[in-house]
Amino acid sequence: MEIIKMTKEEVLNRLEALSNPEKVVFKAKKFGVQTASKTLGIYQKDLKLLAKEIGKNTELGIALFDTEIYEARILCSKICKPKEVTEKMMDTWVETFDTWEICDSFCMELFKFSPYAIEKAFAWSDREEEFVKRAGIVLMAVYGFADKNAENAVFESFFPVLIHEAQDDRIYVKKAVSWALRNIGKRNSDLREKVMRVADEIAAETSDSARWIAKDVLRELKKENVKSLDYPREIYRA
């Protein structure tokens, strides 16, 4: 697809054309996506297509974020270049997250590629705000897709955090903990065994959230047909 240079105003006009108030209601009811920002009601698939048309443009992404329009901010996560996003910008942006959708979009499409990804995974997961904490944990879940050659020790270093945060019964935190453990467990056979031992440890806790997480993780990782990514490939597919 040919990349067409767009101004902020042109992008905002495109977003307005895609807006649908009925989708705002549907996303809130079906997916729990409710934000204090102005929201237009645009699905991710449509934002992805628009992002592909725009191409990578960090300056435009920052300008879109500053509009405070929800979908413009999600679009920012899709068009910024990770190496051009500063640590200060990451810390500023994460504090605005108020839905799992925007949190996950930034972590999966932008922050996981940042040189600060691991540092922020630890720092944010130690914060109290639900979606800042979720961002740190989601980075633990998705970092392995950004660094396919990372050693197992990187992911094992996340275990103490995930064990501790398994006590948090807020839905978007506990789901993130389960996601992180399941993704780490599917990275390779050694991490799978270690994650299952971590899940057994979590299962011994008394909180409902911990038991739910352990059950969710073990149910998936104990499946006979669970798919392993075998990263790093030079070790696990040698």
Side-chain angles (χ1 to χ4, degrees):
M1 180 180 294
E2 182 182 357
I3 302 301
I4 303 172
K5 289 187 177 180
M6 296 188 195
T7 66
K8 181 184 76 171
E9 289 72 24
E10 288 171 333
V11 174
L12 292 178
N13 287 337
R14 291 287 298 275
L15 291 174
E16 287 289 349
L18 290 167
S19 65
N20 186 334
E22 292 182 0
K23 290 178 182 177
V24 175
V25 176
F26 178 78
K27 287 176 68 176
K29 183 176 180 180
K30 181 72 174 180
F31 304 113
V33 176
Q34 294 178 289
T35 175
S37 302
K38 177 183 177 182
T39 183
L40 302 174
I42 305 172
Y43 289 146
Q44 283 278 348
K45 61 182 179 64
D46 296 315
L47 293 172
K48 287 180 180 179
L49 289 174
L50 181 55
K52 187 174 290 188
E53 281 189 57
I54 296 169
K56 295 298 181 182
N57 187 330
T58 304
E59 183 179 359
L60 177 58
I62 294 170
L64 291 172
F65 190 94
D66 289 343
T67 66
E68 299 186 6
I69 297 171
Y70 182 74
E71 286 82 2
R73 287 184 164 181
I74 291 181
L75 196 55
C76 167
S77 74
K78 301 179 188 300
I79 67 173
C80 284
K81 296 179 181 180
K83 291 184 179 179
E84 294 179 355
V85 174
T86 67
E87 182 180 10
K88 183 178 180 180
M89 288 162 63
M90 291 173 70
D91 283 329
T92 299
W93 289 352
V94 76
E95 292 191 359
T96 70
F97 296 168
D98 59 359
T99 75
W100 63 265
E101 181 185 38
I102 196 166
C103 172
D104 295 1
S105 184
F106 271 87
C107 290
M108 295 173 68
E109 303 200 45
L110 182 60
F111 291 166
K112 74 178 182 183
F113 299 109
S114 167
Y116 306 107
I118 294 178
E119 176 185 341
K120 296 308 171 187
F122 283 106
W124 293 344
S125 62
D126 194 44
R127 295 273 292 273
E128 183 57 29
E129 306 97 310
E130 183 172 10
F131 292 104
V132 178
K133 186 181 290 290
R134 179 180 171 91
I137 297 169
V138 170
L139 280 177
M140 296 180 185
V142 301
Y143 180 74
F145 297 99
D147 188 350
K148 297 177 180 179
N149 296 313
E151 296 181 357
N152 287 354
V154 172
F155 303 93
E156 290 171 36
S157 71
F158 298 153
F159 291 163
V161 175
L162 297 173
I163 291 169
H164 180 267
E165 298 305 333
Q167 306 300 319
D168 194 319
D169 63 358
R170 291 176 292 181
I171 187 169
Y172 296 116
V173 174
K174 73 178 186 180
K175 284 189 173 183
V177 172
S178 172
W179 182 14
L181 288 168
R182 286 182 286 115
N183 270 12
I184 294 170
K186 289 184 283 188
R187 184 173 173 84
N188 60 56
S189 56
D190 290 325
L191 284 173
R192 180 183 177 188
E193 291 300 320
K194 290 177 181 179
V195 167
M196 288 196 289
R197 289 199 293 271
V198 168
D200 286 335
E201 181 178 344
I202 292 173
E205 299 293 339
T206 58
S207 70
D208 290 341
S209 61
R211 290 196 297 269
W212 180 89
I213 290 165
K215 184 178 180 180
D216 198 44
V217 171
L218 291 171
R219 178 174 56 245
E220 184 159 340
L221 295 186
K222 285 184 175 181
K223 291 178 181 177
E224 290 184 5
N225 62 344
V226 64
K227 185 177 180 180
S228 176
L229 296 172
D230 295 336
Y231 294 148
R233 294 279 172 88
E234 65 270 19
I235 296 175
Y236 291 96
R237 291 192 182 178

